[in-house]
Amino acid sequence: MESNRVKRILVAVDESPRSIKVVERAAEIAGLLHAKVILVHVRQKVPDVLGEPFYQNLFNHYMHSAEQATAPLQVMLEDKGIDHEVLILEGDPAQAITEAASNQKCELIVMGTRGLSNIAGMALGSVSHKVLQVMDRMVLIVS
C-alpha cells in the first residue's frame, strides 16, 4: 500500500516579493515532512515569429530574469537544509504549474494568492484560481 505522506512539494514562484513568503512557508512544511521541494518558475514564451538574433536575445533575457528570481530562493532552501530542484518552464503559468505537479508526482502545490499582476482577480490571482479549479491534489495558497 502506498503512503499518503507528502514527499514532493511543488512551489510556484515568480519575480514578485511574495515569492519569499511562499518559499518560507513551503520550506517549513518540507522540513516537517522531510519532503523535497520542486521550485517552479514559469517564464514567458518567446514568440516563434522572431528571427535571429532577436529570438535568442529575448530568450536569454527571459532566462536571466528567471535565474535571478530563483537564485535567492534556492539559497534560502539550501540554508534551511531542504532538498530541492529548480524547474524553469515557459508558457501559460497555470498550465505549466499543473503539468509540472503531475509530471513530478507532487502531492502538494504551494503558491501565492497573486504574483506580479495585482489587478487580476479579487481574492485570488488568475493563476492560483485556475490551478485550484483543475488540480486533483492539495493546494496551499499563501497570502
Side-chain angles (χ1 to χ4, degrees), residues 65-118:
S65 294
E67 289 165 357
Q68 281 190 312
T70 57
L73 304 173
Q74 289 182 71
V75 170
M76 181 189 311
L77 292 169
E78 288 167 9
D79 289 347
K80 294 178 183 291
I82 304 296
D83 184 22
H84 68 281
E85 67 181 81
V86 177
L87 296 177
I88 297 176
L89 307 174
E90 73 173 16
D92 176 69
Q95 182 178 353
I97 290 165
T98 56
E99 287 176 3
S102 295
N103 294 340
Q104 295 291 321
K105 298 177 176 42
C106 296
E107 297 87 4
L108 172 64
I109 299 171
V110 180
M111 59 192 307
T113 54
R114 277 187 236 120
L116 292 175
S117 176
N118 285 329

Side-chain angles (χ1 to χ4, degrees), residues 19-85:
S19 291
I20 295 169
K21 286 178 66 174
V22 171
V23 173
E24 286 173 345
R25 183 61 51 163
E28 288 175 27
I29 296 166
L32 291 171
L33 301 176
H34 305 289
K36 181 174 185 172
V37 166
I38 311 299
L39 195 64
V40 172
H41 182 286
V42 183
R43 64 170 179 77
Q44 286 184 311
K45 183 171 175 33
V46 178
D48 294 330
V49 296
L50 289 180
E52 291 299 334
F54 305 108
Y55 180 93
Q56 192 62 48
N57 289 342
L58 190 54
F59 176 84
N60 292 343
H61 171 74
Y62 287 162
M63 286 302 294
H64 180 71
S65 294
E67 289 165 357
Q68 281 190 312
T70 57
L73 304 173
Q74 289 182 71
V75 170
M76 181 189 311
L77 292 169
E78 288 167 9
D79 289 347
K80 294 178 183 291
I82 304 296
D83 184 22
H84 68 281
E85 67 181 81

